Amino acid sequence: MFGGIDIGSRSTEFVLQKDGEAVHRAQLPTTFSPLEQCKKLLSGHSPDCLVATGYGRELIKTLELPYQVDAITEIKAHALGAHALFPEARTVLDIGGQDTKAISLNAKGGIVRFEMNDRCAAGTGKFLEYTANVFQVGIEEFGAYALQGSNPPLINSMCTVFAETEATSLMAQGARPEDIALALHASVVRRTSTMLKRVGLVFPLVFSGGVANNGCIRKLLHENFGKKETICVAEEPDMCGAFGASLWAEKCYNG
C-alpha cells in the first residue's frame, strides 16, 4: 500500500491507497504540533512509500520513518488526485484553509497552468471561518445559514478584516444577517471565478478542499457558471490532495 499525507494550515489528511483505490482515510486538525498529529495519523500503518504535500510537507522527513518518504507540491498532488477521481476533468479548484488554487489540466491530467492565492486570506476557508464568527455560527453550519438568504447586498471589500467591518455595518443598517452571509459567500465565488478564468477555465471542473463541503459555495458556483456545466465534487473533497500524494508514492516506489 502507498500513503499520502496532506499537512495543511488547518487540518491534516492521511490516505492509504492500493491499486488506485483509497482503503483508509483519516483527518486531524493540524494544531501547533503538526508532527505529533502526523504521528497519530501514521500510527499502526506501514506503507511501502509515503509522500507528503501541503504547507508542512518537508516536516515529515524529520520523523525518520522506516519506509521511503518523499514530498510534492500541493498543485501536483491536487492535480493527480482530481484526475484520478474524475479523469475527464480539465480544471481544478481547491479552496483550503488559507489558500486557493486554480489549476488547468490537459486531457492526460498534466498541469498546463495554475494560480495560487497564498498571500491573503480573502476567498479562502479562513475568510469564511473569520466572517462566520460575526454571525456566531460554526463554520460547518455557515453554508446552510447563508442559503437562507434571498436578497444579498453587495460586499465590496475582498479583505477579510474590511469585509467583517462591512458586514457589521450592513447589520447596523438593518440588513438580514442571512442575506449578508449569502453576500459574503458570493464574494468568495466572484474571486475564485476570476482566478479560474485566468488559468483558462474548461469544464468539467473539480471542486476540492474543505470549502467544497460548503453547500452555498457549491450552489453559487453552479449559478455563476450555469447548471449545464459540470462541477464534480468528490465524496470527501478534503482528501483529494492526500490521495494524489498517495498515487505519487506508488510511482516513486515503482521507479
Side-chain angles (χ1 to χ4, degrees):
M1 287 191 288
F2 302 94
I5 190 163
D6 184 356
I7 308 169
S9 58
R10 293 195 72 253
S11 64
T12 298
E13 291 79 27
F14 175 54
V15 170
L16 275 176
Q17 65 89 7
K18 183 179 181 182
D19 300 327
E21 297 289 333
V23 295
H24 173 76
R25 303 182 186 97
Q27 182 185 56
L28 285 175
T30 299
T31 75
F32 288 105
S33 301
L35 280 179
E36 291 304 313
Q37 300 300 80
C38 290
K39 288 177 184 176
K40 292 176 185 174
L41 288 168
L42 297 171
S43 178
H45 301 287
S46 295
D48 294 303
C49 178
L50 175 73
V51 166
T53 189
Y55 281 102
R57 60 183 178 271
E58 296 300 329
L59 288 174
I60 206 76
K61 296 177 181 175
T62 67
L63 286 179
E64 298 183 356
L65 295 166
Y67 39 79
Q68 183 180 346
V69 175
D70 206 339
I72 59 173
T73 67
E74 298 147 274
I75 298 294
K76 189 169 186 174
H78 279 271
L80 285 166
H83 179 69
L85 292 168
F86 303 99
E88 72 283 9
R90 298 298 300 274
T91 313
V92 181
L93 170 64
D94 170 65
I95 307 181
Q98 289 193 341
D99 65 36
T100 301
K101 310 170 198 67
I103 311 166
S104 172
L105 305 177
N106 61 28
K108 295 181 179 179
I111 299 166
V112 177
R113 189 176 177 188
F114 71 90
E115 279 201 15
M116 186 170 178
N117 163 31
D118 60 351
R119 297 183 185 278
C120 172
T124 70
K126 191 67 178 177
F127 174 87
L128 292 171
E129 183 179 357
Y130 190 83
T131 52
N133 288 332
V134 176
F135 303 88
Q136 298 182 323
V137 174
I139 185 63
E140 291 81 9
E141 293 80 36
F142 196 34
Y145 182 80
L147 283 171
Q148 297 174 46
S150 58
N151 185 28
L154 179 63
I155 299 286
N156 291 306
S157 179
M158 291 306 303
C159 168
T160 303
V161 176
F162 291 152
E164 181 200 21
T165 303
E166 201 169 344
T168 304
S169 176
L170 286 165
M171 282 187 196
Q173 295 170 33
R176 288 179 68 229
E178 294 88 346
D179 288 341
I180 301 170
L182 180 58
L184 289 165
H185 281 68
S187 74
V188 172
V189 170
R190 280 200 306 275
R191 185 178 179 89
T192 55
S193 297
T194 301
M195 284 183 69
L196 287 167
K197 290 173 182 173
R198 282 201 298 263
V199 301
L201 173 62
V202 176
F203 292 91
L205 165 70
V206 174
F207 185 17
S208 67
V211 175
N213 291 306
N214 183 309
C216 186
I217 295 290
R218 292 200 305 270
K219 179 175 183 288
L220 292 174
L221 279 173
H222 277 292
E223 289 177 355
N224 189 58
F225 293 120
K227 293 188 176 179
K228 68 176 183 178
E229 303 292 1
T230 303
I231 300 176
C232 309
V233 181
E235 182 181 350
E236 294 185 75
D238 322 47
M239 299 288 172
C240 188
F243 181 56
S246 74
L247 296 172
W248 189 252
E250 183 171 5
K251 188 167 184 172
C252 289
Y253 183 79
N254 293 325

